[in-house]
Amino acid sequence: MPRRQGYALLIALVAGTAALAAAVAFGTSLVAAERRTPAAGPAAQAAARNPAAPANSTGTWVVTWTGAPVSGEPDTAHGFPGRTIRNTVHTSVGGDAARITLSNLFGATPLVVEQATVNTRPVTFRGLPAVTVAAGRQIVSDPVTVPVAPDADLVVTLRTPHAGGPVTHHPYAHQTSYLADTDGTWRTTTWRYLTAVDVRNDTSPGAVVVIGDSLTAGSGSTTDANSRWPDVLSDRLDHRYGIANQGIAGNRLLRDSPDGRNGRGGPAGIHRFERDVLDVAGARTVIIALGINDVQQTPQEPDAQRIVDGLRSLTERAHARGLRVVGATLTPFEGFATWTPERNAVRLAVNERIRSGRVFDDFVDFDRAVRDPYAPNRILPAYDSGDHLHFNDTGYRTLGRLVDTAGVTEAPTSDTF
């Protein structure tokens, strides 16, 4: 198991609390001197629509972490006025500077952030310490000179002074973050507003972007162990590549979540693909691990060809941007509450098409790796988290070790399938 930064996180949190208090006072005086209220209206919307351009090839900027925006957080119509949000994220590749992406995608009013830090270093937005993000938009910060270690915990702190919501969030993060106000500090496993951290690294070959569901997000894994299968892949790549884990619990390929109140599902893979994959800094290869929720969730998709066509459409869109595409077969779920022989038949039909080699540039056979050889429609008990759909840490390590590291660095093939 690679080193995990438990002590470093505690030190960063303690130091961050003191530094943030001083920085907020200083930052507030700057805001008052330079503009009495953060920018709003057309100017703010233009800034949010036109963030610093991400690098979509090898070069200066490469993503080190992502947390795809899922929905508006339930019961946060007024946001978190006067609170400090400390998002803990785990890096893949390191660098000598960082920039962050803040999202107000599901907000109904402008989001005001009066102070932001990366590991206690102040962050600015177009030279100012405060920023307003229009509802439905996102914004990328200015670069901040801060050493970012690979395979390490990083703390991104935000302070929101005014009411404004709902809060754009990513629940079920399997990572401990914190929410603080004058009454105390509370632990949380939700990332709020922060959706990406990029680093400046001139030697990284680029990034591998993984779009998936709860099996990519790590449901069933141990909190703070960083044992999601993309984390394992990052270890195997020696943290030379950025890894963007864009897994969302409950996510489907073809259909948006019908109800965002439970914090699951999010926009369909075909709808979020450009933002969550194609626009990621340094994207070189995409791994697609979607489809099982189309098979097993209600309303179920009974036509395997529709799922295959959806997967092929993502491959074509990635090829248009020069990205290589690796896909994953759909894993067993007999024993889970939604399993039926008919739904399983759809899963098997999708897997047959994936194995034919006519959907992706390459594929990784997750199904074959985790199924019980004596009951192939079930997960091997040693890998089962207990619900017969999700994996435990051992299961996720198996998936991460299965991915061909050479296969995620090759050039894309043509679309002549």
Side-chain angles (χ1 to χ4, degrees), residues 10 64 120 122 163 178 270 352 369 406:
L10 289 175
T64 190
T120 75
Y178 299 88
I270 59 172
E352 182 180 1

Side-chain angles (χ1 to χ4, degrees), residues 95-224:
D96 62 5
R99 65 184 187 188
I100 62 175
T101 300
L102 303 182
S103 175
N104 193 23
L105 181 63
F106 297 101
T109 59
L111 164 66
V112 178
V113 175
E114 69 176 359
Q115 176 68 33
T117 63
V118 174
N119 277 359
T120 75
R121 299 285 182 91
V123 177
T124 61
F125 300 84
R126 298 183 183 267
L128 297 174
V131 67
T132 297
V133 187
R137 303 295 184 180
Q138 67 178 28
I139 194 163
V140 179
S141 76
D142 301 330
V144 54
T145 302
V146 56
V148 177
D151 188 26
D153 286 346
L154 187 79
V155 179
V156 178
T157 302
L158 313 170
R159 180 173 169 81
T160 54
H162 308 308
V167 174
T168 298
H169 79 319
H170 182 109
Y172 313 109
H174 313 289
Q175 194 97 41
T176 301
S177 293
Y178 299 88
L179 188 63
D181 62 16
T182 55
D183 294 326
T185 301
W186 293 267
R187 296 164 65 94
T188 177
T189 54
T190 294
W191 292 311
R192 295 177 171 95
Y193 296 128
L194 180 70
T195 59
V197 179
D198 304 331
V199 295
R200 188 169 61 197
N201 184 315
D202 290 329
T203 62
S204 174
V208 178
V209 185
V210 186
I211 184 169
D213 46 44
S214 57
L215 301 179
T216 296
S219 295
S221 66
T222 300
T223 298
D224 297 327

Side-chain angles (χ1 to χ4, degrees), residues 13 29 41 60 66 218-219 222 227 279 310 396:
L13 288 174
S29 67
T60 300
T66 54
S219 295
T222 300
S227 56
D279 289 345
Y396 286 121

